[in-house]
mmCIF file of all heavy atoms in Angstrom:
data_model
loop_
_atom_site.group_PDB
_atom_site.id
_atom_site.type_symbol
_atom_site.label_atom_id
_atom_site.label_comp_id
_atom_site.label_asym_id
_atom_site.label_seq_id
_atom_site.Cartn_x
_atom_site.Cartn_y
_atom_site.Cartn_z
ATOM 1 N N ARG A 1281 60.907 31.871 -47.775
ATOM 2 C CA ARG A 1281 59.473 32.025 -47.956
ATOM 3 C C ARG A 1281 58.795 31.183 -46.945
ATOM 4 O O ARG A 1281 58.885 30.003 -46.890
ATOM 5 C CB ARG A 1281 59.068 31.506 -49.342
ATOM 6 C CG ARG A 1281 59.755 32.281 -50.530
ATOM 7 C CD ARG A 1281 59.855 31.486 -51.783
ATOM 8 N NE ARG A 1281 60.691 30.182 -51.649
ATOM 9 C CZ ARG A 1281 60.818 29.385 -52.503
ATOM 10 N NH1 ARG A 1281 60.214 29.568 -53.723
ATOM 11 N NH2 ARG A 1281 61.539 28.209 -52.388
ATOM 12 N N ILE A 1282 57.987 31.893 -46.088
ATOM 13 C CA ILE A 1282 57.301 31.197 -44.946
ATOM 14 C C ILE A 1282 55.753 31.043 -45.220
ATOM 15 O O ILE A 1282 55.088 31.910 -45.807
ATOM 16 C CB ILE A 1282 57.325 32.162 -43.693
ATOM 17 C CG1 ILE A 1282 58.875 32.513 -43.350
ATOM 18 C CG2 ILE A 1282 56.683 31.443 -42.531
ATOM 19 C CD1 ILE A 1282 58.931 33.581 -42.299
ATOM 20 N N VAL A 1283 55.339 29.853 -45.011
ATOM 21 C CA VAL A 1283 53.957 29.597 -45.177
ATOM 22 C C VAL A 1283 53.370 29.185 -43.826
ATOM 23 O O VAL A 1283 54.008 28.794 -42.870
ATOM 24 C CB VAL A 1283 53.590 28.355 -46.134
ATOM 25 C CG1 VAL A 1283 53.799 28.957 -47.565
ATOM 26 C CG2 VAL A 1283 54.601 27.121 -45.923
ATOM 27 N N THR A 1284 52.062 29.202 -43.682
ATOM 28 C CA THR A 1284 51.279 28.907 -42.486
ATOM 29 C C THR A 1284 50.075 28.040 -42.753
ATOM 30 O O THR A 1284 49.840 27.754 -43.924
ATOM 31 C CB THR A 1284 50.726 30.218 -41.758
ATOM 32 O OG1 THR A 1284 49.637 30.770 -42.572
ATOM 33 C CG2 THR A 1284 51.872 31.240 -41.627
ATOM 34 N N GLU A 1285 49.321 27.733 -41.817
ATOM 35 C CA GLU A 1285 48.093 26.900 -41.975
ATOM 36 C C GLU A 1285 47.076 27.690 -42.740
ATOM 37 O O GLU A 1285 46.013 27.148 -43.269
ATOM 38 C CB GLU A 1285 47.587 26.314 -40.691
ATOM 39 C CG GLU A 1285 46.784 27.320 -39.773
ATOM 40 C CD GLU A 1285 47.647 28.215 -38.991
ATOM 41 O OE1 GLU A 1285 48.875 28.163 -39.076
ATOM 42 O OE2 GLU A 1285 47.124 28.949 -38.148
ATOM 43 N N ARG A 1286 47.139 29.011 -42.867
ATOM 44 C CA ARG A 1286 46.219 29.826 -43.540
ATOM 45 C C ARG A 1286 46.629 30.010 -44.971
ATOM 46 O O ARG A 1286 45.814 30.677 -45.769
ATOM 47 C CB ARG A 1286 46.134 31.143 -42.830
ATOM 48 C CG ARG A 1286 45.456 31.159 -41.520
ATOM 49 C CD ARG A 1286 45.436 32.590 -40.870
ATOM 50 N NE ARG A 1286 44.814 32.640 -39.563
ATOM 51 C CZ ARG A 1286 43.553 32.855 -39.405
ATOM 52 N NH1 ARG A 1286 42.789 33.154 -40.489
ATOM 53 N NH2 ARG A 1286 43.159 32.943 -38.208
ATOM 54 N N THR A 1287 47.767 29.695 -45.424
ATOM 55 C CA THR A 1287 48.313 29.836 -46.785
ATOM 56 C C THR A 1287 47.286 29.277 -47.839
ATOM 57 O O THR A 1287 46.956 28.118 -47.784
ATOM 58 C CB THR A 1287 49.723 29.390 -46.940
ATOM 59 O OG1 THR A 1287 50.555 30.092 -46.053
ATOM 60 C CG2 THR A 1287 50.190 29.528 -48.355
ATOM 61 N N LYS A 1288 46.904 30.023 -48.766
ATOM 62 C CA LYS A 1288 46.207 29.635 -49.942
ATOM 63 C C LYS A 1288 46.895 30.225 -51.188
ATOM 64 O O LYS A 1288 46.816 31.404 -51.471
ATOM 65 C CB LYS A 1288 44.722 30.139 -49.878
ATOM 66 C CG LYS A 1288 43.941 29.577 -48.801
ATOM 67 C CD LYS A 1288 42.455 30.132 -48.719
ATOM 68 C CE LYS A 1288 41.670 29.544 -47.554
ATOM 69 N NZ LYS A 1288 40.267 30.163 -47.483
ATOM 70 N N MET A 1289 47.629 29.381 -51.697
ATOM 71 C CA MET A 1289 48.515 29.777 -52.835
ATOM 72 C C MET A 1289 48.034 29.365 -54.249
ATOM 73 O O MET A 1289 47.592 28.316 -54.371
ATOM 74 C CB MET A 1289 49.991 29.173 -52.596
ATOM 75 C CG MET A 1289 50.962 29.556 -53.681
ATOM 76 S SD MET A 1289 52.562 28.727 -53.277
ATOM 77 C CE MET A 1289 53.079 29.647 -51.886
ATOM 78 N N ALA A 1290 48.157 30.225 -55.211
ATOM 79 C CA ALA A 1290 47.782 29.866 -56.554
ATOM 80 C C ALA A 1290 48.335 30.880 -57.604
ATOM 81 O O ALA A 1290 48.606 31.976 -57.260
ATOM 82 C CB ALA A 1290 46.275 29.866 -56.638
ATOM 83 N N MET A 1291 48.402 30.424 -58.762
ATOM 84 C CA MET A 1291 48.710 31.285 -59.888
ATOM 85 C C MET A 1291 47.441 31.099 -60.747
ATOM 86 O O MET A 1291 47.334 30.246 -61.725
ATOM 87 C CB MET A 1291 49.913 30.879 -60.642
ATOM 88 C CG MET A 1291 51.216 31.126 -59.915
ATOM 89 S SD MET A 1291 51.450 32.911 -59.603
ATOM 90 C CE MET A 1291 51.933 33.455 -61.201
ATOM 91 N N PRO A 1292 46.336 31.762 -60.518
ATOM 92 C CA PRO A 1292 45.083 31.511 -61.061
ATOM 93 C C PRO A 1292 44.633 32.326 -62.312
ATOM 94 O O PRO A 1292 43.489 32.490 -62.593
ATOM 95 C CB PRO A 1292 44.170 31.825 -59.876
ATOM 96 C CG PRO A 1292 44.771 33.029 -59.279
ATOM 97 C CD PRO A 1292 46.295 32.865 -59.488
ATOM 98 N N GLU A 1293 45.629 32.899 -63.006
ATOM 99 C CA GLU A 1293 45.429 33.775 -64.056
ATOM 100 C C GLU A 1293 44.538 33.205 -65.189
ATOM 101 O O GLU A 1293 43.806 33.974 -65.803
ATOM 102 C CB GLU A 1293 46.720 34.309 -64.669
ATOM 103 C CG GLU A 1293 47.530 35.257 -63.765
ATOM 104 C CD GLU A 1293 48.204 34.603 -62.620
ATOM 105 O OE1 GLU A 1293 48.263 33.337 -62.514
ATOM 106 O OE2 GLU A 1293 48.821 35.281 -61.862
ATOM 107 N N VAL A 1294 44.594 31.900 -65.512
ATOM 108 C CA VAL A 1294 43.780 31.493 -66.535
ATOM 109 C C VAL A 1294 42.314 31.510 -66.249
ATOM 110 O O VAL A 1294 41.502 31.464 -67.186
ATOM 111 C CB VAL A 1294 44.180 29.949 -66.838
ATOM 112 C CG1 VAL A 1294 45.514 29.796 -67.588
ATOM 113 C CG2 VAL A 1294 44.131 29.094 -65.692
ATOM 114 N N ASN A 1295 41.928 31.734 -65.011
ATOM 115 C CA ASN A 1295 40.577 31.947 -64.636
ATOM 116 C C ASN A 1295 40.007 33.165 -65.216
ATOM 117 O O ASN A 1295 38.789 33.269 -65.497
ATOM 118 C CB ASN A 1295 40.488 32.061 -63.037
ATOM 119 C CG ASN A 1295 40.953 30.898 -62.380
ATOM 120 O OD1 ASN A 1295 41.589 29.939 -62.885
ATOM 121 N ND2 ASN A 1295 40.611 30.855 -60.975
ATOM 122 N N ILE A 1296 40.885 34.134 -65.433
ATOM 123 C CA ILE A 1296 40.349 35.448 -66.017
ATOM 124 C C ILE A 1296 40.859 35.731 -67.458
ATOM 125 O O ILE A 1296 40.884 36.895 -67.898
ATOM 126 C CB ILE A 1296 40.705 36.642 -65.109
ATOM 127 C CG1 ILE A 1296 42.261 36.680 -64.820
ATOM 128 C CG2 ILE A 1296 39.958 36.590 -63.747
ATOM 129 C CD1 ILE A 1296 42.748 38.035 -64.281
ATOM 130 N N GLY A 1297 41.408 34.694 -68.030
ATOM 131 C CA GLY A 1297 41.860 34.861 -69.468
ATOM 132 C C GLY A 1297 43.203 35.523 -69.483
ATOM 133 O O GLY A 1297 43.498 36.210 -70.542
ATOM 134 N N LEU A 1298 44.038 35.219 -68.526
ATOM 135 C CA LEU A 1298 45.390 35.858 -68.508
ATOM 136 C C LEU A 1298 46.338 34.632 -68.413
ATOM 137 O O LEU A 1298 45.912 33.438 -68.609
ATOM 138 C CB LEU A 1298 45.604 36.812 -67.373
ATOM 139 C CG LEU A 1298 46.792 37.793 -67.430
ATOM 140 C CD1 LEU A 1298 46.801 38.612 -68.625
ATOM 141 C CD2 LEU A 1298 46.786 38.543 -66.139
ATOM 142 N N PHE A 1299 47.583 34.822 -68.170
ATOM 143 C CA PHE A 1299 48.566 33.690 -68.016
ATOM 144 C C PHE A 1299 49.341 33.953 -66.741
ATOM 145 O O PHE A 1299 49.307 35.046 -66.166
ATOM 146 C CB PHE A 1299 49.470 33.694 -69.176
ATOM 147 C CG PHE A 1299 50.258 35.046 -69.365
ATOM 148 C CD1 PHE A 1299 51.468 35.251 -68.854
ATOM 149 C CD2 PHE A 1299 49.722 36.064 -70.131
ATOM 150 C CE1 PHE A 1299 52.204 36.369 -68.865
ATOM 151 C CE2 PHE A 1299 50.414 37.237 -70.243
ATOM 152 C CZ PHE A 1299 51.695 37.453 -69.713
ATOM 153 N N PRO A 1300 50.034 32.955 -66.067
ATOM 154 C CA PRO A 1300 50.788 33.098 -64.935
ATOM 155 C C PRO A 1300 52.005 33.958 -65.186
ATOM 156 O O PRO A 1300 53.046 33.438 -65.525
ATOM 157 C CB PRO A 1300 51.134 31.619 -64.533
ATOM 158 C CG PRO A 1300 51.090 30.867 -65.733
ATOM 159 C CD PRO A 1300 50.056 31.568 -66.562
ATOM 160 N N ASP A 1301 51.889 35.238 -64.875
ATOM 161 C CA ASP A 1301 53.024 36.219 -65.158
ATOM 162 C C ASP A 1301 53.769 36.453 -63.831
ATOM 163 O O ASP A 1301 54.059 35.479 -63.134
ATOM 164 C CB ASP A 1301 52.366 37.484 -65.722
ATOM 165 C CG ASP A 1301 51.518 38.219 -64.785
ATOM 166 O OD1 ASP A 1301 50.976 37.574 -63.829
ATOM 167 O OD2 ASP A 1301 51.346 39.424 -64.973
ATOM 168 N N VAL A 1302 54.355 37.674 -63.723
ATOM 169 C CA VAL A 1302 55.218 37.939 -62.561
ATOM 170 C C VAL A 1302 56.371 37.046 -62.375
ATOM 171 O O VAL A 1302 56.731 36.804 -61.303
ATOM 172 C CB VAL A 1302 54.338 38.293 -61.248
ATOM 173 C CG1 VAL A 1302 53.422 39.366 -61.414
ATOM 174 C CG2 VAL A 1302 53.605 36.934 -60.787
ATOM 175 N N GLY A 1303 56.887 36.490 -63.452
ATOM 176 C CA GLY A 1303 57.928 35.506 -63.418
ATOM 177 C C GLY A 1303 57.478 34.096 -63.253
ATOM 178 O O GLY A 1303 58.280 33.121 -63.055
ATOM 179 N N GLY A 1304 56.178 33.802 -63.433
ATOM 180 C CA GLY A 1304 55.649 32.416 -63.468
ATOM 181 C C GLY A 1304 56.325 31.520 -64.452
ATOM 182 O O GLY A 1304 56.410 30.331 -64.259
ATOM 183 N N SER A 1305 56.665 32.074 -65.582
ATOM 184 C CA SER A 1305 57.397 31.342 -66.590
ATOM 185 C C SER A 1305 58.615 30.699 -66.001
ATOM 186 O O SER A 1305 58.949 29.565 -66.379
ATOM 187 C CB SER A 1305 57.863 32.393 -67.796
ATOM 188 O OG SER A 1305 56.817 33.116 -68.321
ATOM 189 N N TYR A 1306 59.162 31.399 -65.044
ATOM 190 C CA TYR A 1306 60.539 30.974 -64.470
ATOM 191 C C TYR A 1306 60.258 29.995 -63.258
ATOM 192 O O TYR A 1306 60.673 28.857 -63.264
ATOM 193 C CB TYR A 1306 61.283 32.121 -63.973
ATOM 194 C CG TYR A 1306 62.606 31.805 -63.450
ATOM 195 C CD1 TYR A 1306 63.720 31.684 -64.329
ATOM 196 C CD2 TYR A 1306 62.905 31.594 -62.132
ATOM 197 C CE1 TYR A 1306 64.978 31.265 -63.906
ATOM 198 C CE2 TYR A 1306 64.198 31.294 -61.621
ATOM 199 C CZ TYR A 1306 65.219 31.117 -62.528
ATOM 200 O OH TYR A 1306 66.454 30.716 -62.064
ATOM 201 N N PHE A 1307 59.460 30.449 -62.235
ATOM 202 C CA PHE A 1307 59.340 29.733 -61.117
ATOM 203 C C PHE A 1307 58.425 28.426 -61.206
ATOM 204 O O PHE A 1307 58.561 27.390 -60.559
ATOM 205 C CB PHE A 1307 59.049 30.487 -59.843
ATOM 206 C CG PHE A 1307 57.900 31.271 -59.821
ATOM 207 C CD1 PHE A 1307 56.560 30.630 -59.620
ATOM 208 C CD2 PHE A 1307 57.805 32.690 -59.926
ATOM 209 C CE1 PHE A 1307 55.486 31.486 -59.561
ATOM 210 C CE2 PHE A 1307 56.667 33.408 -59.861
ATOM 211 C CZ PHE A 1307 55.436 32.745 -59.692
#
């Protein structure tokens, strides 16, 4: 997994009333 100075990373699901899915439980 490569990141750069432009990377803006988040699991922001709680912002919209959801939860961090797509395997967020794991990672």
Side-chain angles (χ1 to χ4, degrees):
R1281 302 157 299 176
I1282 305 168
V1283 285
T1284 75
E1285 78 278 6
R1286 292 179 179 268
T1287 298
K1288 296 179 180 179
M1289 179 183 290
M1291 291 297 285
E1293 288 80 3
V1294 289
N1295 300 11
I1296 59 165
L1298 198 58
F1299 60 91
D1301 63 338
V1302 297
S1305 310
Y1306 185 85
F1307 60 77

